[in-house]
Amino acid sequence: MFKQYFKQAIQMLKENRLTSVISILGTALSIAMILVVILQFQIKLVGFRPESNRGRMLYIMGIRADSRNSGDRNSTAMSDGVVKECLYPLQTPEAVTAIASNRTIVSLPNRQLFEEYVIKYTDPGFWKVFDFHFISGKPFTEADFSSGLPCAVITNTLARKLFGSEDPIGKEVLMGYVPYTITGVVEAPTRAANSAYADVWAPYTSNTNYVNSMSCGGVCGSFQGVILARSASDFDAIRTEIKQAVSRYNATGREFVLGMNFVFSRLDVALGSNDVNGGILKGWKEYLTQTAPLLLFLLLVPTLNLTGVVQSSVQKRRSEMGLRKAFGATKGRLLTQVLCENLIITLIGGLIGIVLSVILLQLCKSFLLTKETAVTFEMLFKPILFVAALFFTLLLNLLSAGLPAIRISREQIVDALNNK
């Protein structure tokens, strides 16, 4: 039966080429626009190198520091002291890292350059949390970190720019006029990997600006934390362990009380949760409230146009449908036939829509993402994309062909045969 419907749909495409092209292009454009919205969310959520393990990551984007005496309240980042006392001792996670970002001029000892690059000051745990591909050399070690040695890992893009090769191991670069020895070169990450992205990574102990912070009594600083759990099922246990560590930290009677209210999962981050103004935890309700009207608009506008096209096509086949009813075809059988035949068109449009959505994302990434964001195959072609494309294709098919199909299935045999 469905094989026959498929043959009929192909024959209709051949007979009504202009109508079919309009239907397919309308479907493709609608699906493409919807998928662009889905892709933006997907890029924020799913894992890809060097953040392949996003599903097991927790994020501490900020803390609160409340004065015991003056009542002052600060929403800020962590100090290295908080990191050492509250994050590094954690036993439940697989790995923990602290990250401080900055922009600094990177130059050469014998050649003064003036271009700024993104620098991440971090620790050896960084290379356990994130899965970078090392082209040459290796990351800085625990001994380098403990000693505060000025060493660095750079991207292959920066290595080629500065040295003309991807193997400058042992050579020096100047960061803030301080010489750093290169220990490793990694494949440049995309900006979409926002926690891992940088041009240079160095031990934060090599920069005195990040060590022994005195702001807010030693509580406030420049660090955010990323925690890699052994499993997502450990999230609650890790959050509990962090609360216990914060309680021990505050029990020492410091002038400022540390608050670490939000430890976000990757889904929380993708949904728009943040630590601005004391912390905001967003869920699906808040996200859908913002995006559902846009998706509905992108879905309904082409649906109304396609409904007219399908209605016109069905009207030309009233006699055929009446004849089928006269020979015993049920309303359900006719309804299924119209929907299945139109599904062929919407599926073709859906496939074109997937390709078109990727093209649109590339063309419009300067304001959808950032201009410099590299969009890779690994980021885009995930199961969520194809599931979303199939769902909205089926929904578009149901909405556009459903009403005409219902009307033709309910029509009286005599009226259909006489084309009244």
Side-chain angles (χ1 to χ4, degrees), residues 322-359:
L323 188 62
R324 291 202 63 198
K325 291 187 75 172
F327 279 92
T330 63
K331 293 180 180 179
R333 181 67 63 83
L334 294 176
L335 183 65
T336 302
Q337 178 183 351
V338 175
L339 289 175
C340 287
E341 289 177 356
N342 193 66
L343 180 61
I344 303 299
I345 294 176
T346 51
L347 283 176
I348 294 173
L351 291 173
I352 297 174
I354 292 176
V355 177
L356 187 58
S357 67
V358 175
I359 295 173

Side-chain angles (χ1 to χ4, degrees), residues 213-229:
S213 171
M214 300 302 293
S215 181
C216 304
V219 176
C220 304
S222 305
F223 292 99
Q224 295 181 340
V226 182
I227 300 168
L228 180 64

Side-chain angles (χ1 to χ4, degrees), residues 125-253:
F126 182 88
W127 309 108
K128 299 176 183 178
V129 173
F130 301 106
D131 55 329
F132 281 84
H133 171 59
F134 272 81
I135 295 174
S136 61
K138 59 183 181 179
F140 51 80
T141 65
E142 188 70 47
D144 297 331
F145 178 77
S146 300
S147 303
L149 293 180
C151 52
V153 174
I154 66 174
T155 66
N156 59 335
T157 304
L158 182 58
R160 287 195 302 269
K161 191 170 185 179
L162 295 179
F163 301 100
S165 75
E166 296 185 354
D167 189 21
I169 307 304
K171 296 182 180 180
E172 290 186 344
V173 293
L174 296 180
M175 294 197 303
Y177 304 104
V178 177
Y180 278 72
T181 303
I182 298 173
T183 64
V185 176
V186 297
E187 183 178 336
T190 171
R191 285 182 180 267
N194 52 341
S195 295
Y197 175 80
D199 298 296
V200 182
W201 299 264
Y204 73 74
T205 51
S206 66
N207 190 325
T208 55
N209 293 327
Y210 298 101
V211 181
N212 299 325
S213 171
M214 300 302 293
S215 181
C216 304
V219 176
C220 304
S222 305
F223 292 99
Q224 295 181 340
V226 182
I227 300 168
L228 180 64
R230 302 179 194 280
S231 167
S233 60
D234 292 336
F235 283 178
D236 288 340
I238 292 172
R239 289 187 175 104
T240 299
E241 191 177 0
I242 289 174
K243 287 182 180 179
Q244 293 170 351
V246 171
S247 296
R248 290 193 299 269
Y249 184 88
N250 289 329
T252 57

Side-chain angles (χ1 to χ4, degrees), residues 61-62 75 261-265 267-283 286-287 290:
M61 299 178 180
S75 294
N261 296 337
F262 294 100
V263 181
F264 296 124
S265 68
L267 179 60
D268 295 329
V269 175
L271 292 174
S273 302
N274 59 66
D275 276 303
V276 179
N277 298 323
I280 300 174
L281 180 62
K282 293 185 179 180
E286 291 81 3
Y287 178 78
Q290 295 176 348

